[in-house]
Amino acid sequence: MAREEPAGEPEKRGPHGGARDARAPEAVRPASGAARPVPATGVRPASVGELRTRLEATGYLADDGLATACHLALTLHRPLFCEGEAGAGKTALAAALADVTGAPLIRLQCYEGIDASQALYDWDFPRQLLHLRAAEAAGVTDAGRLEDELYGERFLVARPLLRALRTSPSVLLIDEIDRADDEFEAFLLELLSEYAVTIPELGTLRAETPPVVVLTSNRTREVHDALKRRCLYHWFAHPGYARELAIVRSRRPRVARRLAAQVTAAVQQLRGMDLVKPPGVAETIDWAEALAALGATELDADLAVATLGSVLKYREDTERAVALDLRGLLAAARGS
């Protein structure tokens, strides 16, 4: 198969701090790369409780509602539409499901203007042209045979959606669908309804085993009902203090327990302010990790002010937090 050329896409960072490739709209991660052992990898959980336990073994803490939605998605082969604030764990859920099922994670990053050639398939035109010239030099005159060769598997460049259909099993993450256009949503309908796509030169290709599909949206715009109707739905809200602390402790076990508790309490209070962008769980984890990297074992006002860029991402929010007596807020957090 021809090597894929990455499509252009603005640089961004993952919800847990990892840098994403600024050029490629997709990524494939083998589930075997999990940081923690997952029991019975490759065997789908038989119950909601078992799935929740195995998600926790990967470091992902799911509540009963989310665990139930994931179990139904696995059992009924229905896409799971995850909507909510950025940094709430939507993207990380797909990686955790890949670890649990033992399937590769195939990721499609959506962006404005994405179309079928970036998401589904394309033809390797440079190699087709070279093949055509070689055939002409060799004196091939059978036009039908030549056309069949040019539009065969040899020159097909499979993009994430097609790779997910042809990989059995797999977990397909369609990330930030709200950034794509209405036309791209309509294009997805056949895929999510039938787990099949039609390539005019090759016919209809259908998944042998439907992939586990996770779609995420930060709700920068409303996604159409036609797409949502084909999916199970779960809203990702900011967790309460106890749950968020458990997530931080699970994701960053080397952070001092007292520091993790104080940072979590401080973020909970920051969310109560009138901010342009309230921090998500990913920012809580980043802040705790940044403070720990600087040698902190508990919350210090001066150090917290110096590291606000780990948790607040807008100048207006940083100024507002400082103006509203950040030291007093941190003092309250230290008492947690």
Side-chain angles (χ1 to χ4, degrees), residues 53-87:
T53 299
R54 288 169 60 177
L55 285 171
E56 289 179 359
T58 71
Y60 192 94
L61 306 184
D63 59 22
D64 289 336
L66 179 56
T68 300
C70 291
H71 180 69
L72 290 174
L74 292 171
T75 303
L76 303 177
H77 301 296
R78 293 281 300 278
L80 178 59
F81 190 94
C82 301
E83 193 168 44
E85 297 289 343

Side-chain angles (χ1 to χ4, degrees), residues 158-173:
R159 301 301 191 191
L161 297 182
L162 181 57
R163 290 211 312 274
L165 294 181
R166 301 171 81 179
T167 303
S168 180
S170 65
V171 174
L172 171 62
L173 169 62

Side-chain angles (χ1 to χ4, degrees), residues 2 8 41-42 96 99 104 106 117 153 181 205 229 236 239 258 281 290 295 299 313:
T41 297
D99 288 335
I106 301 175
S117 64
E153 290 280 348
D181 303 324
L205 303 180
R229 283 200 304 269
F236 280 68
R258 182 166 177 76
V281 179
L299 205 58
K313 307 300 182 180

Side-chain angles (χ1 to χ4, degrees), residues 78-138:
R78 293 281 300 278
L80 178 59
F81 190 94
C82 301
E83 193 168 44
E85 297 289 343
K90 303 184 294 297
T91 300
L93 174 64
L97 287 173
D99 288 335
V100 166
T101 59
L105 174 63
I106 301 175
R107 175 177 164 267
L108 172 67
Q109 173 61 52
C110 297
Y111 54 91
E112 186 177 354
I114 190 172
D115 59 21
S117 64
Q118 286 91 38
L120 182 58
Y121 75 94
D122 203 354
W123 296 104
D124 192 335
F125 295 114
R127 291 190 63 219
Q128 285 177 317
L129 183 59
L130 288 174
H131 180 74
L132 183 60
R133 289 176 177 172
E136 290 176 347

Side-chain angles (χ1 to χ4, degrees), residues 6-240:
E9 206 252 332
E11 183 178 1
K12 63 178 291 185
R13 297 187 67 81
H16 296 286
R20 295 178 180 172
D21 190 337
R23 303 169 302 162
E26 78 279 351
V28 181
R29 185 181 66 84
S32 59
R36 304 181 183 186
V38 181
T41 297
V43 179
R44 294 198 173 185
S47 66
V48 174
E50 182 185 349
L51 175 58
R52 184 173 180 179
T53 299
R54 288 169 60 177
L55 285 171
E56 289 179 359
T58 71
Y60 192 94
L61 306 184
D63 59 22
D64 289 336
L66 179 56
T68 300
C70 291
H71 180 69
L72 290 174
L74 292 171
T75 303
L76 303 177
H77 301 296
R78 293 281 300 278
L80 178 59
F81 190 94
C82 301
E83 193 168 44
E85 297 289 343
K90 303 184 294 297
T91 300
L93 174 64
L97 287 173
D99 288 335
V100 166
T101 59
L105 174 63
I106 301 175
R107 175 177 164 267
L108 172 67
Q109 173 61 52
C110 297
Y111 54 91
E112 186 177 354
I114 190 172
D115 59 21
S117 64
Q118 286 91 38
L120 182 58
Y121 75 94
D122 203 354
W123 296 104
D124 192 335
F125 295 114
R127 291 190 63 219
Q128 285 177 317
L129 183 59
L130 288 174
H131 180 74
L132 183 60
R133 289 176 177 172
E136 290 176 347
V140 176
T141 58
D142 188 341
R145 170 192 161 191
L146 191 55
E147 183 177 354
D148 289 341
E149 290 177 350
L150 287 175
Y151 291 97
E153 290 280 348
R154 177 181 175 185
F155 298 105
L156 182 67
V157 180
R159 301 301 191 191
L161 297 182
L162 181 57
R163 290 211 312 274
L165 294 181
R166 301 171 81 179
T167 303
S168 180
S170 65
V171 174
L172 171 62
L173 169 62
I174 303 176
D175 208 11
E176 297 185 335
I177 183 62
D178 53 318
R179 294 180 62 188
D181 303 324
D182 293 348
E183 292 78 6
F184 187 72
E185 280 188 44
F187 163 73
L188 287 176
L189 295 181
E190 179 188 9
L191 176 81
L192 298 183
S193 297
E194 306 293 336
Y195 293 107
V197 293
T198 300
I199 300 176
E201 297 84 357
L202 299 178
T204 299
L205 303 180
R206 192 176 305 275
E208 192 175 303
T209 301
V212 179
V213 181
V214 177
L215 299 97
T216 75
S217 168
N218 294 331
R219 209 172 187 180
T220 58
R221 69 170 178 87
E222 288 295 335
V223 174
H224 287 216
D225 290 343
L227 182 61
K228 285 187 173 181
R229 283 200 304 269
R230 287 160 172 77
C231 306
L232 300 169
Y233 180 86
H234 188 81
W235 172 260
F236 280 68
H238 292 306

